[in-house]
Amino acid sequence: MEHPIIAIIGGTGKEGMGLALRWANAGYKIVIGSRQDEKAIMAAEEINHRLGINSVIGLEYAEAVTKAEICVLTVVQSAHQQVLQSLKDVFQGKILVDATARVDYQNPRPPDPPSAAQQAQEILGPTARVVAAFQNVPAKTLTKAIDQPIDADVLVCSDDIPAAQLIIQLAKAAGLRGYYAGYLANANVVEGLTSILISMNKHYGIKDARIMVSGISDDS
Amino acid sequence: MEHPIIAIIGGTGKEGMGLALRWANAGYKIVIGSRQDEKAIMAAEEINHRLGINSVIGLEYAEAVTKAEICVLTVVQSAHQQVLQSLKDVFQGKILVDATARVDYQNPRPPDPPSAAQQAQEILGPTARVVAAFQNVPAKTLTKAIDQPIDADVLVCSDDIPAAQLIIQLAKAAGLRGYYAGYLANANVVEGLTSILISMNKHYGIKDARIMVSGISDDS
């Protein structure tokens, strides 16, 4: 099967850039989406330059979504609802991967339900295939040693299991292990893990506490 | 420092028995608490017999709490509020470790806030030192090979950091790695992890998916 085209909505931020780098490096066609197309083009050129390729392109949000089969949402949490509202029409029928973790880094506490991904599903309606993933992956680990696997696991939640399975493959292509972690409602727990990881980092004076899954063999 | 006396409230259930076995085996004085003292005495005798000791005793709930410095609550979730209400007076000044995960095993979904441990704090008032821990440890792994460490980590949440640190030591004594995971509010996320673990078990056809912490060295 040919690789699907991936749009990174909010692709000029650190998390989006990190995922884009790794997927482009694994041979995926990447579209960087930004509010302003000049910023998107600059980010795309930065990735092309780093990887010695020319396949990554930059476009304004709606055009980026239109070009792609899978859209990964990595905008800042304050822009989450507004971006989804404005792109509602173009998202229909696409897989939307919501990487939003609603957390205050200064004062971490678990977010109230519903999860960001459930809010996305509510805004986009039932034909969008919403998957929650990548909320806990530290951005800086994505951009370092991009050929190397990362020992942080990705909990993938969706009501659409085939869509979740595609995203588990995408996680693998980025050097991460992905696991199906239940329905979209469970994504609120995954967002809350960010609050736990920040609390651990503060308490132990470290920067990259991570959650791993144990007990599931690679061929499960 | 001498080991504190530990009461297991709901100590005749699988989780409570498992923790009691491991702590008794590590040299802690254990009091099994049950609604009926005959059941508590039988459970205590079972542990004494298995370990070839005679230090574990069984008492009715309130007497068990009174005897102990640390009380670990492992009652079924439907009894959680009522047991706390009925023991409110004897819990004052004690450390209460709440191991309750509010989850429906048939239809797992994240519990609504506040966490069970926050509800416990609310019922007991500010002088009880409430810690949330051990919500995700599969009971059957506790009772097997009790001398061996378990590769499941314990996320310890509390507003009282010295109390949390004592419980991290207790986790270690039971063969588990414990980590301080933030304030009591974060315990709702830890309860929700049970929903994720059950979802994983169902999806992958396994029985003991576990969450591990990575990135924190043992001497942090």
Side-chain angles (χ1 to χ4, degrees):
Chain A
M1 192 182 78
E2 213 180 320
H3 286 333
I5 299 173
I6 306 170
I8 317 280
I9 306 305
T12 61
K14 279 185 195 166
E15 185 86 12
M17 282 289 273
L19 289 168
L21 254 177
R22 284 179 170 254
W23 286 324
N25 191 49
Y28 285 80
K29 181 92 190 281
I30 300 294
V31 184
I32 300 289
S34 184
R35 208 141 38 87
Q36 300 154 294
D37 58 1
E38 317 92 82
K39 285 184 87 175
I41 291 165
M42 273 177 62
E45 280 174 2
E46 189 180 327
I47 295 171
N48 283 329
H49 180 74
R50 174 154 171 191
L51 299 180
I53 60 176
N54 61 14
S55 63
V56 180
I57 61 171
L59 292 170
E60 176 275 331
Y61 282 152
E63 291 174 77
V65 171
T66 305
K67 277 263 187 297
E69 290 143 271
I70 298 176
C71 304
V72 181
L73 189 64
T74 58
V75 297
V76 294
Q77 55 177 314
S78 57
H80 181 257
Q81 304 247 351
Q82 194 215 320
V83 168
L84 287 165
Q85 292 283 5
S86 69
L87 297 174
K88 183 175 169 172
D89 293 339
V90 282
F91 268 132
Q92 298 310 309
K94 312 259 179 192
I95 294 179
L96 173 76
V97 182
D98 199 330
T100 306
R102 294 162 299 151
V103 68
D104 174 349
Y105 282 79
Q106 297 312 311
N107 179 26
R109 45 160 288 131
D112 287 326
S115 63
Q118 285 175 297
Q119 294 177 32
Q121 186 81 71
E122 181 68 29
I123 292 170
L124 300 182
T127 72
R129 304 171 70 190
V130 178
V131 177
F134 306 114
Q135 303 98 317
N136 304 135
V137 184
K140 69 167 188 172
T141 63
L142 288 170
T143 51
K144 277 193 294 194
I146 59 171
D147 282 317
Q148 300 299 316
I150 299 174
D151 67 340
D153 291 344
V154 178
L155 298 169
V156 179
C157 300
S158 182
D159 299 345
D160 180 331
I161 295 189
Q165 275 161 337
L166 276 175
I167 305 313
I168 289 168
Q169 286 173 25
L170 273 194
K172 195 173 179 182
L176 298 148
R177 295 187 311 170
Y179 294 98
Y180 180 69
Y183 297 125
L184 223 44
N186 278 352
N188 204 58
V189 179
V190 184
E191 286 185 62
L193 280 174
T194 307
S195 168
I196 285 190
L197 293 171
I198 295 167
S199 301
M200 284 182 169
N201 283 344
K202 288 189 177 187
H203 182 78
Y204 291 101
I206 56 171
K207 286 185 175 168
D208 56 352
R210 296 179 300 281
I211 292 292
M212 311 280 290
V213 173
S214 170
I216 302 175
S217 68
D218 285 345
D219 51 2
S220 284
Chain B
M1 193 182 80
E2 213 179 319
H3 286 334
I5 300 173
I6 306 170
I8 317 279
I9 305 306
T12 63
K14 279 185 195 167
E15 184 87 12
M17 282 289 272
L19 289 168
L21 254 176
R22 284 179 170 255
W23 285 324
N25 192 49
Y28 284 79
K29 181 92 189 282
I30 300 294
V31 185
I32 300 289
S34 184
R35 207 141 37 90
Q36 300 154 295
D37 57 2
E38 317 93 83
K39 284 184 85 176
I41 290 165
M42 274 177 61
E45 280 175 1
E46 190 181 327
I47 295 171
N48 283 329
H49 181 74
R50 174 154 171 191
L51 299 180
I53 60 177
N54 61 15
S55 64
V56 180
I57 62 171
L59 291 169
E60 177 274 332
Y61 282 153
E63 291 174 78
V65 172
T66 304
K67 277 262 187 296
E69 289 144 272
I70 297 176
C71 304
V72 181
L73 188 64
T74 58
V75 296
V76 293
Q77 54 176 313
S78 56
H80 181 257
Q81 304 247 352
Q82 194 215 318
V83 168
L84 287 165
Q85 292 282 6
S86 70
L87 297 173
K88 182 176 170 173
D89 292 341
V90 284
F91 268 132
Q92 297 310 310
K94 312 261 180 192
I95 293 179
L96 172 76
V97 182
D98 199 330
T100 306
R102 296 163 298 152
V103 69
D104 175 350
Y105 282 79
Q106 297 313 311
N107 179 26
R109 44 160 289 131
D112 287 326
S115 64
Q118 284 175 298
Q119 294 178 32
Q121 187 80 71
E122 181 69 28
I123 292 169
L124 300 181
T127 72
R129 305 171 70 190
V130 178
V131 178
F134 306 113
Q135 303 101 314
N136 303 135
V137 184
K140 69 167 188 173
T141 64
L142 289 170
T143 52
K144 278 192 294 193
I146 60 171
D147 282 317
Q148 300 300 314
I150 298 173
D151 66 340
D153 292 343
V154 179
L155 298 169
V156 178
C157 299
S158 183
D159 299 344
D160 180 330
I161 294 187
Q165 275 160 340
L166 276 175
I167 305 314
I168 289 168
Q169 285 173 27
L170 273 194
K172 194 173 181 183
L176 298 149
R177 294 188 310 170
Y179 294 98
Y180 180 69
Y183 296 125
L184 224 43
N186 278 352
N188 204 59
V189 179
V190 184
E191 286 186 61
L193 280 175
T194 306
S195 168
I196 284 189
L197 294 170
I198 296 166
S199 301
M200 284 181 168
N201 284 343
K202 288 189 177 186
H203 182 78
Y204 291 101
I206 57 171
K207 286 185 175 167
D208 55 353
R210 297 179 300 281
I211 292 292
M212 311 280 290
V213 173
S214 170
I216 302 176
S217 68
D218 285 346
D219 51 3
S220 285

Coordinates of all heavy atoms in Angstrom, one line a residue, chain A residues 113-114 118 183 185-186 188-189, chain B residues 102-113 191-196 198-199:
Chain A
P113 N -13.2 16.2 31.4 CA -13.8 15.6 30.2 C -14.8 16.6 29.6 O -15.3 17.5 30.4 CB -14.5 14.3 30.8 CG -14.7 14.6 32.2 CD -13.6 15.5 32.7
P114 N -15.2 16.5 28.4 CA -14.7 15.5 27.4 C -13.3 15.8 26.9 O -12.9 17.0 27.0 CB -15.7 15.6 26.3 CG -16.2 17.0 26.3 CD -16.2 17.4 27.8
Q118 N -12.6 14.2 21.7 CA -14.1 14.1 21.7 C -14.7 15.4 21.3 O -15.7 15.5 20.6 CB -14.6 13.7 23.1 CG -14.4 12.2 23.4 CD -14.9 11.9 24.8 OE1 -14.3 12.4 25.8 NE2 -15.9 11.1 24.9
Y183 N -11.5 3.6 23.5 CA -12.4 4.6 22.8 C -11.9 6.0 23.1 O -11.0 6.2 24.0 CB -13.8 4.4 23.3 CG -14.4 3.1 22.9 CD1 -15.0 2.2 23.9 CD2 -14.4 2.6 21.6 CE1 -15.6 1.0 23.5 CE2 -15.0 1.4 21.2 CZ -15.5 0.6 22.2 OH -16.1 -0.6 21.8
A185 N -13.1 8.4 24.5 CA -13.3 8.9 25.9 C -12.0 8.7 26.7 O -11.7 9.5 27.6 CB -14.5 8.1 26.6
N186 N -11.3 7.6 26.5 CA -10.0 7.3 27.2 C -9.0 8.4 26.9 O -8.0 8.5 27.7 CB -9.5 5.9 26.9 CG -10.2 4.8 27.7 OD1 -10.9 5.1 28.6 ND2 -9.9 3.6 27.3
N188 N -9.0 11.4 27.4 CA -8.9 12.3 28.5 C -7.9 11.9 29.5 O -7.2 12.7 30.1 CB -10.3 12.5 29.2 CG -10.4 13.8 29.9 OD1 -10.3 14.9 29.2 ND2 -10.6 13.8 31.2
V189 N -7.8 10.6 29.7 CA -6.7 10.0 30.6 C -5.3 10.3 30.0 O -4.4 10.7 30.7 CB -6.9 8.5 30.8 CG1 -5.9 8.0 31.7 CG2 -8.3 8.2 31.4
Chain B
R102 N -12.1 3.6 40.3 CA -13.6 3.5 39.9 C -13.7 3.2 38.4 O -13.5 4.0 37.6 CB -14.2 4.8 40.2 CG -14.3 5.2 41.7 CD -14.6 6.7 41.9 NE -13.5 7.5 41.2 CZ -13.7 8.7 40.7 NH1 -14.9 9.2 40.8 NH2 -12.7 9.3 40.2
V103 N -13.9 1.9 38.2 CA -14.0 1.5 36.8 C -14.9 0.3 36.7 O -15.0 -0.5 37.6 CB -12.6 1.1 36.2 CG1 -12.0 -0.1 36.8 CG2 -12.6 1.0 34.7
D104 N -15.7 0.3 35.6 CA -16.5 -0.8 35.2 C -15.8 -1.7 34.3 O -15.5 -1.4 33.2 CB -17.8 -0.2 34.6 CG -18.7 -1.3 34.1 OD1 -18.4 -2.5 34.1 OD2 -19.9 -1.0 33.7
Y105 N -15.5 -3.0 34.8 CA -14.6 -3.8 34.0 C -15.3 -4.3 32.7 O -14.6 -4.6 31.7 CB -14.2 -5.1 34.8 CG -13.1 -4.7 35.7 CD1 -13.3 -4.1 36.9 CD2 -11.7 -5.0 35.4 CE1 -12.3 -3.7 37.8 CE2 -10.7 -4.7 36.2 CZ -11.0 -4.0 37.4 OH -9.9 -3.7 38.3
Q106 N -16.6 -4.3 32.6 CA -17.3 -4.7 31.4 C -17.3 -3.5 30.4 O -17.2 -3.7 29.2 CB -18.8 -5.0 31.7 CG -18.9 -6.3 32.6 CD -18.0 -7.4 32.2 OE1 -18.0 -7.8 31.0 NE2 -17.2 -8.0 33.1
N107 N -17.4 -2.3 30.9 CA -17.6 -1.2 30.0 C -16.6 -0.1 30.5 O -17.1 0.9 31.1 CB -19.0 -0.7 30.0 CG -19.3 0.5 29.2 OD1 -18.5 0.7 28.2 ND2 -20.3 1.3 29.5
P108 N -15.3 -0.3 30.3 CA -14.4 0.7 30.9 C -14.4 2.1 30.3 O -14.5 2.2 29.1 CB -13.0 0.0 30.6 CG -13.2 -0.8 29.4 CD -14.6 -1.3 29.6
R109 N -14.5 3.1 31.1 CA -14.4 4.5 30.6 C -13.8 5.3 31.8 O -13.9 4.8 33.0 CB -15.7 5.0 30.2 CG -16.9 4.7 31.1 CD -18.0 5.7 30.8 NE -17.6 7.0 31.3 CZ -17.7 8.2 30.7 NH1 -18.2 8.2 29.5 NH2 -17.3 9.3 31.2
P110 N -13.2 6.4 31.5 CA -12.5 7.1 32.6 C -13.5 7.6 33.6 O -14.6 8.1 33.3 CB -11.9 8.3 31.9 CG -11.9 8.0 30.4 CD -13.0 7.1 30.2
P111 N -13.1 7.6 34.9 CA -14.0 8.1 36.0 C -14.1 9.6 35.9 O -13.1 10.3 35.6 CB -13.4 7.6 37.2 CG -11.9 7.5 36.9 CD -11.9 7.1 35.5
D112 N -15.2 10.2 36.3 CA -15.3 11.6 36.4 C -14.5 12.1 37.7 O -14.4 11.4 38.7 CB -16.7 12.1 36.6 CG -17.5 11.9 35.2 OD1 -16.9 12.1 34.2 OD2 -18.7 11.6 35.3
P113 N -13.9 13.3 37.6 CA -13.3 13.9 38.8 C -14.5 14.3 39.8 O -15.6 14.4 39.4 CB -12.6 15.1 38.3 CG -13.3 15.5 36.9 CD -13.8 14.2 36.4
E191 N -6.5 6.5 38.2 CA -7.7 5.7 38.1 C -8.1 5.4 36.7 O -8.5 4.3 36.3 CB -8.9 6.3 38.8 CG -8.8 6.4 40.3 CD -10.1 6.9 40.9 OE1 -11.2 6.3 40.7 OE2 -10.0 8.0 41.6
G192 N -8.1 6.4 35.8 CA -8.4 6.3 34.4 C -7.5 5.4 33.7 O -7.9 4.7 32.7
L193 N -6.3 5.2 34.1 CA -5.4 4.3 33.5 C -5.9 2.9 33.5 O -5.6 2.1 32.6 CB -4.0 4.4 34.1 CG -3.1 5.5 33.7 CD1 -1.8 5.5 34.5 CD2 -2.8 5.4 32.2
T194 N -6.6 2.6 34.6 CA -7.2 1.2 34.7 C -8.2 1.0 33.5 O -8.2 -0.1 32.9 CB -8.0 1.1 36.0 OG1 -7.1 1.4 37.1 CG2 -8.4 -0.3 36.2
S195 N -8.9 2.0 33.1 CA -9.8 1.9 31.9 C -8.9 1.7 30.7 O -9.3 0.8 29.8 CB -10.6 3.2 31.8 OG -11.3 3.3 30.6
I196 N -7.8 2.3 30.6 CA -6.9 2.1 29.4 C -6.3 0.7 29.4 O -6.3 0.0 28.4 CB -5.8 3.2 29.4 CG1 -6.5 4.5 28.9 CG2 -4.6 2.8 28.5 CD1 -5.5 5.6 28.6
I198 N -7.6 -2.0 30.8 CA -8.6 -3.0 30.5 C -8.9 -3.0 28.9 O -9.0 -4.0 28.3 CB -9.9 -2.7 31.3 CG1 -9.7 -2.9 32.7 CG2 -11.0 -3.6 30.8 CD1 -10.8 -2.3 33.6
S199 N -9.0 -1.8 28.4 CA -9.2 -1.6 26.9 C -8.1 -2.3 26.2 O -8.3 -3.0 25.2 CB -9.2 -0.2 26.5 OG -10.3 0.5 27.2

